[in-house]
């Protein structure tokens, strides 16, 4: 009888702790010019995409991240028409934004074509949306794309990898200043901002640079429970150009009219996501 040893994957959160699960099968492994891509079939989390050995999403809980990075700014904005997604090559964010059928345009700029192709083939529950004709998918660098453009989008969603390599500049003040310019008058930008439990520096880099670009009182974070991301609590940094804080500008009428079947986001979560524990408030200053 053949003996198959168990295969366990660990994402290290520090030199001394991490998150571990058992893998059924490795479905795909390859390297693009930018990063290594793996698709795993797992016992507990369904299909999992790794980029450079870090979990991008799992089939089981991806809905939390993708709903919260999309619907919260979309329902906070006043009559949004044009949306820009930067990164998000797996397609989960595009899938959620596409649910807002009233939008005029959805543009996505993802730097790595192989992430797009891999997701379409191996994780169609997110990747399928990348073939939607309403999505204008551009393979290119989001940092370059936002340069020298003015007042084009109501919402910019930065669905990036961690601030290394190609994504490093997506956390910089120059990038956020360009995003401010590319936003229309009442525009909103949201970015995945890591976690404040294991290492607050990445989140604060996003927040502080957004503050420099948008102003001290026009930036905050909101959070969501994502079991397979480090610490289980994920932060999103958000900055706005208008006068109203996004927690106070939920469009109830549009929400009820669209009648979306969502698994995480709802009107109460829209407000509650901005309520932070004391130690997170302290970090934010
Ligand atoms: N939810 C995610 C996480 O856990 O970090 C992010 C997912 S999504 C796969 C991140 C995408 O950002 C990747 O496909 C990566 O190629 C893309 N990306 C990184 N730097 C970029 C840049 N400068 N311009 C556009 N896309 C970029």
């Amino acid at each position: 009888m053949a003996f198959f040893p168990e295969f366990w994957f660990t994402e290290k959160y520090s030199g001394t702790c991490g998150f571990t699960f058992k893998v059924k099968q490795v479905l795909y492994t390859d390297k693009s010019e930018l990063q290594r891509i793996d698709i795993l079939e797992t016992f507990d989390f369904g299909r999992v995409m790794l980029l450079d050995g870090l979990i991008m999403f799992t089939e089981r809980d991806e809905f939390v991240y993708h709903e919260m990075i999309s619907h919260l700014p979309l329902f906070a904005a006043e009559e949004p028409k044009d949306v820009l997604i930067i990164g998000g090559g797996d397609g989960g964010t595009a899938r959620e934004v596409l649910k807002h059928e009233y939008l005029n345009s959805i543009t996505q700029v993802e730097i790595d074509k192989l992430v797009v192709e891999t997701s379409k083939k191996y994780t169609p529950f997110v990747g399928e949306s990348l073939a939607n004709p309403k999505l204008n998918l551009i393979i290119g660098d989001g940092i370059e794309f936002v340069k020298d453009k003015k007042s084009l989008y109501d919402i910019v969603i930065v669905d990036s990898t961690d601030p290394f390599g190609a994504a490093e500049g997506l956390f910089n003040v120059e990038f956020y200043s360009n995003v401010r310019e590319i936003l229309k008058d009442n525009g909103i930008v949201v970015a995945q901002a890591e976690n404040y439990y294991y290492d607050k520096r990445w989140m604060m880099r996003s927040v502080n640079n957004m503050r420099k670009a948008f102003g001290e009182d026009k930036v905050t974070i909101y959070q969501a429970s994502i079991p397979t991301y480090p610490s289980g609590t994920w932060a999103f940094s958000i900055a706005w150009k208008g006068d109203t804080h996004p927690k106070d500008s939920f469009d109830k009428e549009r929400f009820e009219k669209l009648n979306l079947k969502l698994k995480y986001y709802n009107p109460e979560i829209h407000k509650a996501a901005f309520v932070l524990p004391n130690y997170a408030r302290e970090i934010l200053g």
Side-chain angles (χ1 to χ4, degrees):
M1 196 170 69
F3 170 68
F4 293 106
E6 291 188 348
F7 174 22
W8 290 73
F9 166 81
T10 296
E11 177 174 319
K12 287 185 184 171
Y13 293 164
S14 70
T16 48
C17 73
F19 178 65
T20 298
F21 52 80
K22 192 171 164 181
V23 177
K24 262 189 204 169
Q25 204 185 342
V26 178
L27 297 176
Y28 175 83
T29 302
D30 204 351
K31 266 186 174 170
S32 69
E33 277 170 24
L34 291 168
Q35 52 209 346
R36 174 185 164 146
I37 306 175
D38 294 282
I39 303 286
L40 311 178
E41 184 74 60
T42 70
F43 288 88
D44 293 279
F45 303 108
R47 294 201 172 178
V48 176
M49 178 185 276
L50 310 176
L51 291 184
D52 287 339
L54 299 174
I55 298 170
M56 290 296 110
F57 63 84
T58 83
E59 188 169 356
R60 185 151 172 204
D61 65 359
E62 57 82 12
F63 65 94
V64 185
Y65 176 90
H66 293 125
E67 288 187 13
M68 287 300 279
I69 204 169
S70 307
H71 300 301
L72 192 143
L74 273 157
F75 285 116
E78 212 184 306
E79 294 182 35
K81 292 188 174 65
D82 305 292
V83 175
L84 172 65
I85 303 166
I86 292 177
D90 51 77
T93 297
R95 180 193 65 198
E96 296 306 315
V97 174
L98 281 159
K99 290 178 182 171
H100 293 248
E101 289 164 352
Y102 57 83
L103 290 171
N104 283 350
S105 77
I106 308 169
T107 305
Q108 177 166 357
V109 185
E110 160 61 50
I111 203 164
D112 195 341
K113 193 168 180 230
L114 194 59
V115 176
V116 171
E117 284 168 358
T118 306
S119 188
K120 276 184 181 168
K121 185 161 177 197
Y122 291 96
T123 52
F125 49 93
V126 282
E128 197 173 64
S129 61
L130 297 162
N132 190 308
K134 193 163 176 198
L135 181 73
N136 174 23
L137 178 60
I138 298 166
I139 301 300
D141 186 346
I143 300 165
E144 292 302 316
F145 185 84
V146 296
K147 284 182 182 165
D148 306 319
K149 294 190 179 85
K150 261 192 167 318
S151 303
L152 293 178
Y153 301 102
D154 300 280
I155 293 168
V156 174
I157 299 175
V158 189
D159 182 3
S160 76
T161 36
D162 297 343
F164 297 117
E168 167 123 40
L170 295 173
F171 289 70
N172 286 350
V173 67
E174 191 194 341
F175 171 73
Y176 291 137
S177 303
N178 289 329
V179 166
R180 193 177 189 286
E181 289 302 304
I182 213 171
L183 282 170
K184 297 183 205 169
D185 280 351
N186 287 324
I188 297 175
V189 56
V190 171
Q192 78 88 355
E194 310 290 329
N195 74 90
Y196 53 82
Y197 185 82
Y198 287 108
D199 191 344
K200 62 190 179 205
R201 285 173 300 182
W202 289 354
M203 179 186 88
M204 286 316 292
R205 190 159 131 195
S206 173
V207 167
N208 285 329
N209 287 334
M210 274 190 183
R211 281 173 173 160
K212 286 180 196 151
F214 286 78
E216 285 284 323
D217 57 343
K218 294 286 179 77
V219 180
T220 191
I221 62 163
Y222 63 91
Q223 61 183 18
S225 286
I226 308 180
T228 60
Y229 279 2
S231 88
T233 300
W234 208 244
F236 301 87
S237 45
I238 181 165
W240 57 98
K241 281 176 88 170
D243 294 327
T244 315
H245 191 300
K247 80 172 183 330
D248 300 320
S249 57
F250 171 71
D251 189 336
K252 187 166 178 269
E253 202 180 304
R254 185 155 37 100
F255 180 80
E256 283 171 0
K257 202 166 155 199
L258 272 181
N259 194 23
L260 303 177
K261 301 280 168 280
L262 302 176
K263 281 156 79 179
Y264 191 89
Y265 176 87
N266 60 42
E268 290 73 31
I269 291 241
H270 183 103
K271 267 187 177 293
F274 290 92
V275 179
L276 303 175
N278 293 345
Y279 79 104
R281 285 185 187 176
E282 244 173 64
I283 291 167
L284 276 181

